[in-house]
mmCIF file of all heavy atoms in Angstrom:
data_model
loop_
_atom_site.group_PDB
_atom_site.id
_atom_site.type_symbol
_atom_site.label_atom_id
_atom_site.label_comp_id
_atom_site.label_asym_id
_atom_site.label_seq_id
_atom_site.Cartn_x
_atom_site.Cartn_y
_atom_site.Cartn_z
ATOM 1 N N MET X 1 0.845 -1.180 0.000
ATOM 2 C CA MET X 1 0.000 0.000 0.000
ATOM 3 C C MET X 1 0.886 1.238 0.000
ATOM 4 O O MET X 1 1.846 1.342 0.738
ATOM 5 C CB MET X 1 -0.904 -0.004 1.237
ATOM 6 C CG MET X 1 -1.704 1.259 1.371
ATOM 7 S SD MET X 1 -3.016 1.323 2.627
ATOM 8 C CE MET X 1 -2.396 0.462 3.997
ATOM 9 N N GLN X 2 0.540 2.204 -0.838
ATOM 10 C CA GLN X 2 1.248 3.468 -0.904
ATOM 11 C C GLN X 2 0.656 4.442 0.100
ATOM 12 O O GLN X 2 -0.521 4.371 0.423
ATOM 13 C CB GLN X 2 1.133 4.087 -2.296
ATOM 14 C CG GLN X 2 1.780 3.286 -3.391
ATOM 15 C CD GLN X 2 1.531 3.946 -4.736
ATOM 16 O OE1 GLN X 2 0.483 4.509 -4.976
ATOM 17 N NE2 GLN X 2 2.517 3.869 -5.603
ATOM 18 N N VAL X 3 1.476 5.363 0.579
ATOM 19 C CA VAL X 3 1.000 6.412 1.474
ATOM 20 C C VAL X 3 1.210 7.736 0.763
ATOM 21 O O VAL X 3 2.290 8.020 0.261
ATOM 22 C CB VAL X 3 1.772 6.387 2.814
ATOM 23 C CG1 VAL X 3 1.322 7.525 3.700
ATOM 24 C CG2 VAL X 3 1.574 5.056 3.504
ATOM 25 N N ASN X 4 0.142 8.539 0.720
ATOM 26 C CA ASN X 4 0.234 9.821 0.027
ATOM 27 C C ASN X 4 0.851 10.876 0.938
ATOM 28 O O ASN X 4 1.210 10.611 2.081
ATOM 29 C CB ASN X 4 -1.133 10.258 -0.504
ATOM 30 C CG ASN X 4 -2.134 10.502 0.600
ATOM 31 O OD1 ASN X 4 -1.787 10.782 1.736
ATOM 32 N ND2 ASN X 4 -3.402 10.401 0.276
ATOM 33 N N GLU X 5 0.958 12.102 0.436
ATOM 34 C CA GLU X 5 1.586 13.198 1.176
ATOM 35 C C GLU X 5 0.824 13.591 2.441
ATOM 36 O O GLU X 5 1.370 14.245 3.316
ATOM 37 C CB GLU X 5 1.730 14.415 0.267
ATOM 38 C CG GLU X 5 0.375 14.961 -0.192
ATOM 39 C CD GLU X 5 0.470 15.795 -1.442
ATOM 40 O OE1 GLU X 5 0.409 15.195 -2.531
ATOM 41 O OE2 GLU X 5 0.599 17.014 -1.324
ATOM 42 N N PHE X 6 -0.426 13.170 2.552
ATOM 43 C CA PHE X 6 -1.230 13.485 3.725
ATOM 44 C C PHE X 6 -1.179 12.369 4.763
ATOM 45 O O PHE X 6 -1.811 12.451 5.801
ATOM 46 C CB PHE X 6 -2.693 13.742 3.331
ATOM 47 C CG PHE X 6 -2.840 14.876 2.372
ATOM 48 C CD1 PHE X 6 -3.110 14.631 1.040
ATOM 49 C CD2 PHE X 6 -2.699 16.189 2.783
ATOM 50 C CE1 PHE X 6 -3.236 15.667 0.139
ATOM 51 C CE2 PHE X 6 -2.827 17.233 1.894
ATOM 52 C CZ PHE X 6 -3.092 16.980 0.575
ATOM 53 N N GLY X 7 -0.439 11.316 4.467
ATOM 54 C CA GLY X 7 -0.322 10.208 5.396
ATOM 55 C C GLY X 7 -1.425 9.173 5.271
ATOM 56 O O GLY X 7 -1.527 8.286 6.091
ATOM 57 N N PHE X 8 -2.253 9.293 4.231
ATOM 58 C CA PHE X 8 -3.331 8.330 4.022
ATOM 59 C C PHE X 8 -2.859 7.258 3.055
ATOM 60 O O PHE X 8 -2.153 7.529 2.096
ATOM 61 C CB PHE X 8 -4.581 9.007 3.435
ATOM 62 C CG PHE X 8 -5.233 9.957 4.379
ATOM 63 C CD1 PHE X 8 -4.970 11.302 4.308
ATOM 64 C CD2 PHE X 8 -6.108 9.508 5.347
ATOM 65 C CE1 PHE X 8 -5.564 12.189 5.170
ATOM 66 C CE2 PHE X 8 -6.704 10.374 6.219
ATOM 67 C CZ PHE X 8 -6.430 11.733 6.133
ATOM 68 N N GLY X 9 -3.267 6.027 3.302
ATOM 69 C CA GLY X 9 -2.934 4.947 2.395
ATOM 70 C C GLY X 9 -3.844 4.977 1.180
ATOM 71 O O GLY X 9 -5.047 5.122 1.313
ATOM 72 N N ILE X 10 -3.259 4.885 0.016
ATOM 73 C CA ILE X 10 -4.049 4.835 -1.216
ATOM 74 C C ILE X 10 -4.238 3.368 -1.558
ATOM 75 O O ILE X 10 -3.301 2.688 -1.951
ATOM 76 C CB ILE X 10 -3.351 5.581 -2.366
ATOM 77 C CG1 ILE X 10 -3.160 7.043 -1.999
ATOM 78 C CG2 ILE X 10 -4.156 5.437 -3.651
ATOM 79 C CD1 ILE X 10 -2.395 7.838 -3.030
ATOM 80 N N VAL X 11 -5.452 2.901 -1.362
ATOM 81 C CA VAL X 11 -5.749 1.487 -1.562
ATOM 82 C C VAL X 11 -6.065 1.202 -3.018
ATOM 83 O O VAL X 11 -5.561 0.256 -3.598
ATOM 84 C CB VAL X 11 -6.928 1.051 -0.664
ATOM 85 C CG1 VAL X 11 -7.264 -0.400 -0.900
ATOM 86 C CG2 VAL X 11 -6.589 1.301 0.790
ATOM 87 N N THR X 12 -6.900 2.030 -3.616
ATOM 88 C CA THR X 12 -7.295 1.809 -5.001
ATOM 89 C C THR X 12 -6.950 3.035 -5.828
ATOM 90 O O THR X 12 -7.320 4.150 -5.471
ATOM 91 C CB THR X 12 -8.807 1.543 -5.116
ATOM 92 O OG1 THR X 12 -9.499 2.613 -4.486
ATOM 93 C CG2 THR X 12 -9.195 0.244 -4.458
ATOM 94 N N PRO X 13 -6.240 2.840 -6.916
ATOM 95 C CA PRO X 13 -5.936 3.980 -7.783
ATOM 96 C C PRO X 13 -7.208 4.450 -8.490
ATOM 97 O O PRO X 13 -8.151 3.675 -8.661
ATOM 98 C CB PRO X 13 -4.931 3.408 -8.783
ATOM 99 C CG PRO X 13 -5.158 1.943 -8.770
ATOM 100 C CD PRO X 13 -5.691 1.603 -7.407
ATOM 101 N N PRO X 14 -7.257 5.711 -8.896
ATOM 102 C CA PRO X 14 -8.439 6.209 -9.596
ATOM 103 C C PRO X 14 -8.607 5.516 -10.948
ATOM 104 O O PRO X 14 -7.631 5.104 -11.577
ATOM 105 C CB PRO X 14 -8.153 7.698 -9.776
ATOM 106 C CG PRO X 14 -6.681 7.836 -9.635
ATOM 107 C CD PRO X 14 -6.223 6.727 -8.751
ATOM 108 N N ALA X 15 -9.854 5.385 -11.378
ATOM 109 C CA ALA X 15 -10.144 4.747 -12.667
ATOM 110 C C ALA X 15 -9.619 5.602 -13.820
ATOM 111 O O ALA X 15 -9.146 5.089 -14.820
ATOM 112 C CB ALA X 15 -11.643 4.527 -12.810
ATOM 113 N N ASP X 16 -9.696 6.904 -13.672
ATOM 114 C CA ASP X 16 -9.227 7.840 -14.682
ATOM 115 C C ASP X 16 -7.975 8.518 -14.137
ATOM 116 O O ASP X 16 -7.955 8.987 -12.998
ATOM 117 C CB ASP X 16 -10.321 8.876 -14.956
ATOM 118 C CG ASP X 16 -9.976 9.834 -16.075
ATOM 119 O OD1 ASP X 16 -8.779 9.942 -16.437
ATOM 120 O OD2 ASP X 16 -10.884 10.497 -16.590
ATOM 121 N N ALA X 17 -6.946 8.583 -14.930
ATOM 122 C CA ALA X 17 -5.677 9.168 -14.478
ATOM 123 C C ALA X 17 -5.826 10.627 -14.047
ATOM 124 O O ALA X 17 -5.028 11.126 -13.256
ATOM 125 C CB ALA X 17 -4.633 9.046 -15.582
ATOM 126 N N ASP X 18 -6.837 11.323 -14.554
ATOM 127 C CA ASP X 18 -7.055 12.725 -14.195
ATOM 128 C C ASP X 18 -7.844 12.883 -12.900
ATOM 129 O O ASP X 18 -7.928 13.976 -12.354
ATOM 130 C CB ASP X 18 -7.790 13.466 -15.319
ATOM 131 C CG ASP X 18 -6.922 13.620 -16.557
ATOM 132 O OD1 ASP X 18 -5.689 13.672 -16.411
ATOM 133 O OD2 ASP X 18 -7.481 13.685 -17.656
ATOM 134 N N ASP X 19 -8.443 11.811 -12.398
ATOM 135 C CA ASP X 19 -9.229 11.872 -11.167
ATOM 136 C C ASP X 19 -8.321 11.792 -9.946
ATOM 137 O O ASP X 19 -7.329 11.076 -9.950
ATOM 138 C CB ASP X 19 -10.231 10.725 -11.102
ATOM 139 C CG ASP X 19 -11.386 10.901 -12.069
ATOM 140 O OD1 ASP X 19 -11.555 12.003 -12.596
ATOM 141 O OD2 ASP X 19 -12.107 9.913 -12.291
ATOM 142 N N GLU X 20 -8.696 12.526 -8.917
ATOM 143 C CA GLU X 20 -7.986 12.436 -7.649
ATOM 144 C C GLU X 20 -8.527 11.239 -6.876
ATOM 145 O O GLU X 20 -9.732 11.005 -6.870
ATOM 146 C CB GLU X 20 -8.220 13.708 -6.826
ATOM 147 C CG GLU X 20 -7.598 14.956 -7.409
ATOM 148 C CD GLU X 20 -6.085 14.960 -7.279
ATOM 149 O OE1 GLU X 20 -5.557 14.333 -6.364
ATOM 150 O OE2 GLU X 20 -5.454 15.598 -8.119
ATOM 151 N N PRO X 21 -7.665 10.504 -6.199
ATOM 152 C CA PRO X 21 -8.159 9.403 -5.357
ATOM 153 C C PRO X 21 -9.075 9.956 -4.268
ATOM 154 O O PRO X 21 -8.879 11.078 -3.780
ATOM 155 C CB PRO X 21 -6.893 8.810 -4.752
ATOM 156 C CG PRO X 21 -5.774 9.270 -5.628
ATOM 157 C CD PRO X 21 -6.215 10.581 -6.206
ATOM 158 N N ALA X 22 -10.061 9.177 -3.882
ATOM 159 C CA ALA X 22 -11.024 9.611 -2.866
ATOM 160 C C ALA X 22 -10.326 10.041 -1.585
ATOM 161 O O ALA X 22 -10.747 10.995 -0.925
ATOM 162 C CB ALA X 22 -12.020 8.496 -2.590
ATOM 163 N N GLU X 23 -9.236 9.359 -1.225
ATOM 164 C CA GLU X 23 -8.518 9.696 -0.004
ATOM 165 C C GLU X 23 -7.983 11.126 -0.050
ATOM 166 O O GLU X 23 -8.011 11.847 0.946
ATOM 167 C CB GLU X 23 -7.361 8.720 0.230
ATOM 168 C CG GLU X 23 -7.818 7.315 0.565
ATOM 169 C CD GLU X 23 -8.033 6.443 -0.680
ATOM 170 O OE1 GLU X 23 -8.037 6.973 -1.814
ATOM 171 O OE2 GLU X 23 -8.215 5.238 -0.504
ATOM 172 N N LEU X 24 -7.481 11.562 -1.211
ATOM 173 C CA LEU X 24 -6.963 12.927 -1.348
ATOM 174 C C LEU X 24 -8.085 13.955 -1.292
ATOM 175 O O LEU X 24 -7.933 15.027 -0.697
ATOM 176 C CB LEU X 24 -6.187 13.085 -2.658
ATOM 177 C CG LEU X 24 -4.841 12.382 -2.732
ATOM 178 C CD1 LEU X 24 -4.217 12.577 -4.105
ATOM 179 C CD2 LEU X 24 -3.913 12.887 -1.651
ATOM 180 N N VAL X 25 -9.201 13.638 -1.901
ATOM 181 C CA VAL X 25 -10.348 14.542 -1.881
ATOM 182 C C VAL X 25 -10.836 14.720 -0.446
ATOM 183 O O VAL X 25 -11.073 15.842 0.013
ATOM 184 C CB VAL X 25 -11.486 14.020 -2.793
ATOM 185 C CG1 VAL X 25 -12.728 14.864 -2.636
ATOM 186 C CG2 VAL X 25 -11.029 13.984 -4.248
ATOM 187 N N LEU X 26 -10.963 13.621 0.277
ATOM 188 C CA LEU X 26 -11.413 13.694 1.671
ATOM 189 C C LEU X 26 -10.414 14.463 2.534
ATOM 190 O O LEU X 26 -10.804 15.248 3.392
ATOM 191 C CB LEU X 26 -11.643 12.295 2.234
ATOM 192 C CG LEU X 26 -12.840 11.559 1.656
ATOM 193 C CD1 LEU X 26 -12.868 10.115 2.159
ATOM 194 C CD2 LEU X 26 -14.134 12.271 1.985
ATOM 195 N N ALA X 27 -9.134 14.248 2.320
ATOM 196 C CA ALA X 27 -8.114 14.977 3.083
ATOM 197 C C ALA X 27 -8.209 16.469 2.809
ATOM 198 O O ALA X 27 -8.102 17.290 3.725
ATOM 199 C CB ALA X 27 -6.729 14.459 2.734
ATOM 200 N N SER X 28 -8.432 16.836 1.562
ATOM 201 C CA SER X 28 -8.569 18.242 1.197
ATOM 202 C C SER X 28 -9.805 18.863 1.840
ATOM 203 O O SER X 28 -9.763 19.993 2.337
ATOM 204 C CB SER X 28 -8.642 18.375 -0.331
ATOM 205 O OG SER X 28 -8.826 19.715 -0.698
ATOM 206 N N LEU X 29 -10.904 18.119 1.835
ATOM 207 C CA LEU X 29 -12.125 18.615 2.466
ATOM 208 C C LEU X 29 -11.945 18.791 3.973
ATOM 209 O O LEU X 29 -12.401 19.785 4.553
ATOM 210 C CB LEU X 29 -13.291 17.667 2.186
ATOM 211 C CG LEU X 29 -13.795 17.668 0.742
ATOM 212 C CD1 LEU X 29 -14.819 16.557 0.553
ATOM 213 C CD2 LEU X 29 -14.381 19.006 0.365
ATOM 214 N N ARG X 30 -11.249 17.847 4.603
ATOM 215 C CA ARG X 30 -10.986 17.969 6.047
ATOM 216 C C ARG X 30 -10.133 19.202 6.341
ATOM 217 O O ARG X 30 -10.383 19.931 7.297
ATOM 218 C CB ARG X 30 -10.285 16.716 6.563
ATOM 219 C CG ARG X 30 -11.197 15.531 6.686
ATOM 220 C CD ARG X 30 -10.474 14.353 7.335
ATOM 221 N NE ARG X 30 -11.268 13.159 7.221
ATOM 222 C CZ ARG X 30 -11.019 12.165 6.372
ATOM 223 N NH1 ARG X 30 -9.975 12.211 5.583
ATOM 224 N NH2 ARG X 30 -11.813 11.118 6.328
ATOM 225 N N THR X 31 -9.116 19.428 5.519
ATOM 226 C CA THR X 31 -8.250 20.592 5.693
ATOM 227 C C THR X 31 -9.043 21.878 5.523
ATOM 228 O O THR X 31 -8.912 22.810 6.324
ATOM 229 C CB THR X 31 -7.092 20.553 4.676
ATOM 230 O OG1 THR X 31 -6.341 19.359 4.887
ATOM 231 C CG2 THR X 31 -6.184 21.755 4.822
ATOM 232 N N SER X 32 -9.880 21.944 4.505
ATOM 233 C CA SER X 32 -10.695 23.134 4.267
ATOM 234 C C SER X 32 -11.663 23.388 5.416
ATOM 235 O O SER X 32 -11.833 24.529 5.852
ATOM 236 C CB SER X 32 -11.482 22.997 2.958
ATOM 237 O OG SER X 32 -10.597 22.941 1.871
ATOM 238 N N LEU X 33 -12.282 22.337 5.916
ATOM 239 C CA LEU X 33 -13.206 22.481 7.032
ATOM 240 C C LEU X 33 -12.481 23.013 8.268
ATOM 241 O O LEU X 33 -12.976 23.901 8.962
ATOM 242 C CB LEU X 33 -13.877 21.148 7.350
ATOM 243 C CG LEU X 33 -14.900 21.159 8.473
ATOM 244 C CD1 LEU X 33 -16.030 22.140 8.180
ATOM 245 C CD2 LEU X 33 -15.460 19.771 8.703
ATOM 246 N N GLN X 34 -11.282 22.504 8.518
ATOM 247 C CA GLN X 34 -10.500 22.980 9.658
ATOM 248 C C GLN X 34 -10.131 24.447 9.482
ATOM 249 O O GLN X 34 -10.192 25.239 10.431
ATOM 250 C CB GLN X 34 -9.237 22.133 9.826
ATOM 251 C CG GLN X 34 -8.450 22.473 11.064
ATOM 252 C CD GLN X 34 -9.230 22.195 12.334
ATOM 253 O OE1 GLN X 34 -9.972 21.225 12.430
ATOM 254 N NE2 GLN X 34 -9.067 23.046 13.320
ATOM 255 N N GLN X 35 -9.769 24.856 8.255
ATOM 256 C CA GLN X 35 -9.431 26.256 7.984
ATOM 257 C C GLN X 35 -10.642 27.151 8.195
ATOM 258 O O GLN X 35 -10.503 28.265 8.714
ATOM 259 C CB GLN X 35 -8.898 26.405 6.560
ATOM 260 C CG GLN X 35 -7.526 25.809 6.378
ATOM 261 C CD GLN X 35 -7.074 25.853 4.937
ATOM 262 O OE1 GLN X 35 -7.876 25.906 4.011
ATOM 263 N NE2 GLN X 35 -5.768 25.823 4.738
ATOM 264 N N ILE X 36 -11.812 26.688 7.820
ATOM 265 C CA ILE X 36 -13.034 27.464 8.019
ATOM 266 C C ILE X 36 -13.279 27.645 9.511
ATOM 267 O O ILE X 36 -13.559 28.750 9.979
ATOM 268 C CB ILE X 36 -14.239 26.781 7.345
ATOM 269 C CG1 ILE X 36 -14.109 26.869 5.828
ATOM 270 C CG2 ILE X 36 -15.553 27.403 7.816
ATOM 271 C CD1 ILE X 36 -15.091 26.008 5.069
ATOM 272 N N LYS X 37 -13.143 26.562 10.269
ATOM 273 C CA LYS X 37 -13.362 26.626 11.711
ATOM 274 C C LYS X 37 -12.385 27.589 12.382
ATOM 275 O O LYS X 37 -12.727 28.241 13.364
ATOM 276 C CB LYS X 37 -13.225 25.240 12.334
ATOM 277 C CG LYS X 37 -14.364 24.311 12.008
ATOM 278 C CD LYS X 37 -14.125 22.942 12.630
ATOM 279 C CE LYS X 37 -15.258 21.979 12.328
ATOM 280 N NZ LYS X 37 -15.009 20.644 12.913
ATOM 281 N N GLU X 38 -11.167 27.672 11.871
ATOM 282 C CA GLU X 38 -10.140 28.542 12.442
ATOM 283 C C GLU X 38 -10.200 29.962 11.887
ATOM 284 O O GLU X 38 -9.393 30.806 12.269
ATOM 285 C CB GLU X 38 -8.762 27.941 12.188
ATOM 286 C CG GLU X 38 -8.538 26.617 12.894
ATOM 287 C CD GLU X 38 -7.247 25.934 12.505
ATOM 288 O OE1 GLU X 38 -6.490 26.489 11.674
ATOM 289 O OE2 GLU X 38 -6.979 24.838 13.019
ATOM 290 N N GLY X 39 -11.133 30.223 10.963
ATOM 291 C CA GLY X 39 -11.263 31.559 10.388
ATOM 292 C C GLY X 39 -10.192 31.893 9.369
ATOM 293 O O GLY X 39 -9.966 33.052 9.054
ATOM 294 N N LYS X 40 -9.517 30.887 8.853
ATOM 295 C CA LYS X 40 -8.440 31.104 7.885
ATOM 296 C C LYS X 40 -8.920 31.099 6.438
ATOM 297 O O LYS X 40 -8.159 31.409 5.546
ATOM 298 C CB LYS X 40 -7.359 30.034 8.054
ATOM 299 C CG LYS X 40 -6.656 30.096 9.380
ATOM 300 C CD LYS X 40 -5.628 29.000 9.493
ATOM 301 C CE LYS X 40 -4.917 29.037 10.823
ATOM 302 N NZ LYS X 40 -3.969 27.916 10.957
ATOM 303 N N LEU X 41 -10.163 30.718 6.219
ATOM 304 C CA LEU X 41 -10.708 30.620 4.876
ATOM 305 C C LEU X 41 -11.911 31.534 4.787
ATOM 306 O O LEU X 41 -12.717 31.592 5.711
ATOM 307 C CB LEU X 41 -11.117 29.169 4.601
ATOM 308 C CG LEU X 41 -11.217 28.710 3.170
ATOM 309 C CD1 LEU X 41 -9.852 28.798 2.496
ATOM 310 C CD2 LEU X 41 -11.706 27.284 3.110
ATOM 311 N N HIS X 42 -12.031 32.266 3.703
ATOM 312 C CA HIS X 42 -13.119 33.223 3.548
ATOM 313 C C HIS X 42 -13.983 32.850 2.351
ATOM 314 O O HIS X 42 -13.498 32.242 1.396
ATOM 315 C CB HIS X 42 -12.558 34.627 3.369
ATOM 316 C CG HIS X 42 -11.699 35.060 4.509
ATOM 317 N ND1 HIS X 42 -12.214 35.481 5.704
ATOM 318 C CD2 HIS X 42 -10.359 35.090 4.659
ATOM 319 C CE1 HIS X 42 -11.235 35.772 6.528
ATOM 320 N NE2 HIS X 42 -10.088 35.542 5.919
ATOM 321 N N PRO X 43 -15.246 33.249 2.363
ATOM 322 C CA PRO X 43 -16.130 32.950 1.237
ATOM 323 C C PRO X 43 -15.613 33.567 -0.067
ATOM 324 O O PRO X 43 -14.997 34.636 -0.058
ATOM 325 C CB PRO X 43 -17.456 33.599 1.635
ATOM 326 C CG PRO X 43 -17.375 33.822 3.094
ATOM 327 C CD PRO X 43 -15.920 33.975 3.419
ATOM 328 N N ILE X 44 -15.865 32.887 -1.156
ATOM 329 C CA ILE X 44 -15.407 33.382 -2.461
ATOM 330 C C ILE X 44 -16.027 34.735 -2.789
ATOM 331 O O ILE X 44 -15.433 35.531 -3.502
ATOM 332 C CB ILE X 44 -15.690 32.347 -3.570
ATOM 333 C CG1 ILE X 44 -14.992 32.728 -4.861
ATOM 334 C CG2 ILE X 44 -17.158 32.236 -3.859
ATOM 335 C CD1 ILE X 44 -13.995 31.738 -5.309
ATOM 336 N N SER X 45 -17.198 35.011 -2.215
ATOM 337 C CA SER X 45 -17.850 36.294 -2.466
ATOM 338 C C SER X 45 -17.008 37.467 -1.945
ATOM 339 O O SER X 45 -17.152 38.590 -2.401
ATOM 340 C CB SER X 45 -19.237 36.326 -1.825
ATOM 341 O OG SER X 45 -19.128 36.149 -0.420
ATOM 342 N N GLU X 46 -16.096 37.181 -1.010
ATOM 343 C CA GLU X 46 -15.233 38.228 -0.463
ATOM 344 C C GLU X 46 -13.903 38.349 -1.207
ATOM 345 O O GLU X 46 -13.091 39.216 -0.894
ATOM 346 C CB GLU X 46 -14.942 37.936 1.011
ATOM 347 C CG GLU X 46 -16.154 37.986 1.894
ATOM 348 C CD GLU X 46 -15.828 37.605 3.325
ATOM 349 O OE1 GLU X 46 -14.634 37.407 3.644
ATOM 350 O OE2 GLU X 46 -16.766 37.502 4.127
ATOM 351 N N LEU X 47 -13.681 37.497 -2.184
ATOM 352 C CA LEU X 47 -12.399 37.437 -2.870
ATOM 353 C C LEU X 47 -11.962 38.771 -3.457
ATOM 354 O O LEU X 47 -10.822 39.177 -3.318
ATOM 355 C CB LEU X 47 -12.456 36.372 -3.963
ATOM 356 C CG LEU X 47 -11.180 36.144 -4.771
ATOM 357 C CD1 LEU X 47 -10.086 35.589 -3.860
ATOM 358 C CD2 LEU X 47 -11.440 35.189 -5.905
ATOM 359 N N TRP X 48 -12.873 39.477 -4.109
ATOM 360 C CA TRP X 48 -12.504 40.702 -4.809
ATOM 361 C C TRP X 48 -12.876 41.962 -4.040
ATOM 362 O O TRP X 48 -12.707 43.065 -4.545
ATOM 363 C CB TRP X 48 -13.159 40.731 -6.185
ATOM 364 C CG TRP X 48 -12.657 39.623 -7.063
ATOM 365 C CD1 TRP X 48 -13.308 38.478 -7.396
ATOM 366 C CD2 TRP X 48 -11.367 39.534 -7.675
ATOM 367 N NE1 TRP X 48 -12.513 37.689 -8.181
ATOM 368 C CE2 TRP X 48 -11.308 38.316 -8.367
ATOM 369 C CE3 TRP X 48 -10.256 40.367 -7.700
ATOM 370 C CZ2 TRP X 48 -10.176 37.919 -9.075
ATOM 371 C CZ3 TRP X 48 -9.134 39.973 -8.400
ATOM 372 C CH2 TRP X 48 -9.110 38.751 -9.088
ATOM 373 N N GLU X 49 -13.363 41.829 -2.803
ATOM 374 C CA GLU X 49 -13.717 43.007 -2.031
ATOM 375 C C GLU X 49 -12.505 43.912 -1.861
ATOM 376 O O GLU X 49 -11.430 43.473 -1.473
ATOM 377 C CB GLU X 49 -14.259 42.611 -0.655
ATOM 378 C CG GLU X 49 -15.705 42.192 -0.687
ATOM 379 C CD GLU X 49 -16.249 41.926 0.700
ATOM 380 O OE1 GLU X 49 -15.601 42.264 1.701
ATOM 381 O OE2 GLU X 49 -17.343 41.353 0.769
ATOM 382 N N GLY X 50 -12.677 45.183 -2.146
ATOM 383 C CA GLY X 50 -11.600 46.148 -1.988
ATOM 384 C C GLY X 50 -10.690 46.225 -3.195
ATOM 385 O O GLY X 50 -10.057 47.242 -3.433
ATOM 386 N N ILE X 51 -10.582 45.161 -3.950
ATOM 387 C CA ILE X 51 -9.704 45.162 -5.124
ATOM 388 C C ILE X 51 -10.392 45.865 -6.292
ATOM 389 O O ILE X 51 -9.793 46.687 -6.974
ATOM 390 C CB ILE X 51 -9.312 43.735 -5.515
ATOM 391 C CG1 ILE X 51 -8.456 43.124 -4.416
ATOM 392 C CG2 ILE X 51 -8.574 43.715 -6.850
ATOM 393 C CD1 ILE X 51 -8.108 41.675 -4.609
ATOM 394 N N ILE X 52 -11.650 45.554 -6.515
ATOM 395 C CA ILE X 52 -12.390 46.139 -7.644
ATOM 396 C C ILE X 52 -12.491 47.643 -7.487
ATOM 397 O O ILE X 52 -12.375 48.383 -8.467
ATOM 398 C CB ILE X 52 -13.784 45.496 -7.774
ATOM 399 C CG1 ILE X 52 -13.636 44.021 -8.132
ATOM 400 C CG2 ILE X 52 -14.624 46.208 -8.817
ATOM 401 C CD1 ILE X 52 -14.923 43.247 -8.195
ATOM 402 N N ASP X 53 -12.655 48.121 -6.268
ATOM 403 C CA ASP X 53 -12.768 49.562 -6.038
ATOM 404 C C ASP X 53 -11.495 50.310 -6.407
ATOM 405 O O ASP X 53 -11.546 51.492 -6.719
ATOM 406 C CB ASP X 53 -13.105 49.823 -4.565
ATOM 407 C CG ASP X 53 -14.442 49.211 -4.162
ATOM 408 O OD1 ASP X 53 -15.305 49.052 -5.049
ATOM 409 O OD2 ASP X 53 -14.594 48.891 -2.975
ATOM 410 N N ARG X 54 -10.363 49.644 -6.389
ATOM 411 C CA ARG X 54 -9.080 50.297 -6.695
ATOM 412 C C ARG X 54 -8.808 50.402 -8.176
ATOM 413 O O ARG X 54 -7.921 51.133 -8.594
ATOM 414 C CB ARG X 54 -7.940 49.519 -6.037
ATOM 415 C CG ARG X 54 -8.013 49.538 -4.544
ATOM 416 C CD ARG X 54 -6.850 48.786 -3.966
ATOM 417 N NE ARG X 54 -7.199 48.300 -2.649
ATOM 418 C CZ ARG X 54 -6.601 47.327 -2.032
ATOM 419 N NH1 ARG X 54 -5.604 46.701 -2.606
ATOM 420 N NH2 ARG X 54 -6.977 46.943 -0.840
ATOM 421 N N VAL X 55 -9.509 49.639 -8.973
ATOM 422 C CA VAL X 55 -9.234 49.600 -10.416
ATOM 423 C C VAL X 55 -9.856 50.764 -11.116
ATOM 424 O O VAL X 55 -10.799 51.340 -10.868
ATOM 425 C CB VAL X 55 -9.735 48.274 -11.029
ATOM 426 C CG1 VAL X 55 -9.530 48.270 -12.530
ATOM 427 C CG2 VAL X 55 -9.034 47.125 -10.386
#
């Protein structure tokens, strides 16, 4: 069994080479959820706030 960069074992490779393994997707979702809880991630609607006014 291979271990990915997140420390999860990759049991089954993706059917399509362009698809991310489910383990990587879940790890990414867990990381994003933790960032939201810590206030480190902001809604996409806030992405351009303040920038558009300067243009």
Side-chain angles (χ1 to χ4, degrees):
M1 174 171 38
Q2 296 176 324
V3 177
N4 63 24
E5 63 201 87
F6 300 105
F8 293 97
I10 300 176
V11 178
T12 54
D16 185 342
D18 292 332
D19 288 346
E20 293 288 333
E23 292 88 349
L24 289 178
V25 173
L26 290 173
S28 178
L29 289 172
R30 286 186 191 105
T31 300
S32 296
L33 182 58
Q34 186 63 37
Q35 289 175 336
I36 290 169
K37 288 178 180 179
E38 295 173 0
K40 295 179 181 177
L41 202 63
H42 302 283
I44 191 118
S45 60
E46 295 176 6
L47 181 65
W48 296 105
E49 279 185 12
I51 294 174
I52 295 176
D53 298 333
R54 296 181 205 160
V55 176

